[in-house]
Amino acid sequence: MGINDRDYMKKDGGKDDVINLRELVIVMLKLAVVFVAVILSFRFPLLWIKIPLVICVLYGGWRWIFKAKKKKTVSSSPPKAPAKPVQAKVVSSRRLNLEQLEAEAGNPPKPDQSSIRLLIAYDAAGEFGQAKALIQHFNGKEFTEPVVEEFAVLARNYFPIELEPTESGVRFKLA
């Protein structure tokens, strides 16, 4: 059993339940500041100012002390929509990768490995319309044997296909 095989046994994706002393000290200091602010708000002479001020200080202090911390998650699947700035950076880097692959593939006379990488990139980035258009672009074209196997596996996710053997390779057809 390897190191990575035991990650499913740990809580919270492998993070141990350890109390961070730095975070604890920060929370205690925040509590002290809120406590002092509440005491100072009680010193106002008018009751109609005192009560709303205490409520505001308590609510603001509660939000300040217990504000939600964003945890970074690592996943193998691509993000569906850029909900966080971190995911937006991942999506934008995938877009750059897509543009590089499109420039690399261009319109090759014969489908090759770069067109398969482009189809994989479209599929991973969620550009399903462009993936379908690329598959339709290669309808009726000939592939070499190893390339057609990879392309057929990806294309079957979008369309029913037929592979027709020819003299120089395999012809790819949409059914």
Side-chain angles (χ1 to χ4, degrees), residues 22-32 65-66 69:
R22 181 176 176 258
E23 290 177 8
L24 185 63
V25 169
I26 290 172
V27 169
M28 296 304 274
L29 288 174
K30 287 179 180 180
L31 277 172
I65 292 170
F66 297 111
K69 294 183 181 180

Side-chain angles (χ1 to χ4, degrees), residues 12-25:
D12 298 329
K15 185 173 181 175
D16 295 332
D17 294 329
V18 177
I19 297 173
N20 190 351
L21 186 61
R22 181 176 176 258
E23 290 177 8
L24 185 63
V25 169

Side-chain angles (χ1 to χ4, degrees), residues 54-98:
V54 169
I55 291 172
C56 288
V57 167
L58 287 175
Y59 178 73
W62 175 74
R63 293 284 306 244
W64 181 46
I65 292 170
F66 297 111
K67 71 178 177 183
K69 294 183 181 180
K70 294 180 182 176
K71 293 183 180 180
K72 294 181 182 177
T73 59
V74 178
S75 65
S76 60
S77 64
K80 302 291 187 239
K84 297 179 184 176
V86 175
Q87 289 179 344
K89 290 178 185 176
V90 170
V91 170
S92 66
S93 69
R94 286 194 178 138
R95 294 251 185 248
L96 291 175
N97 191 13
L98 271 175

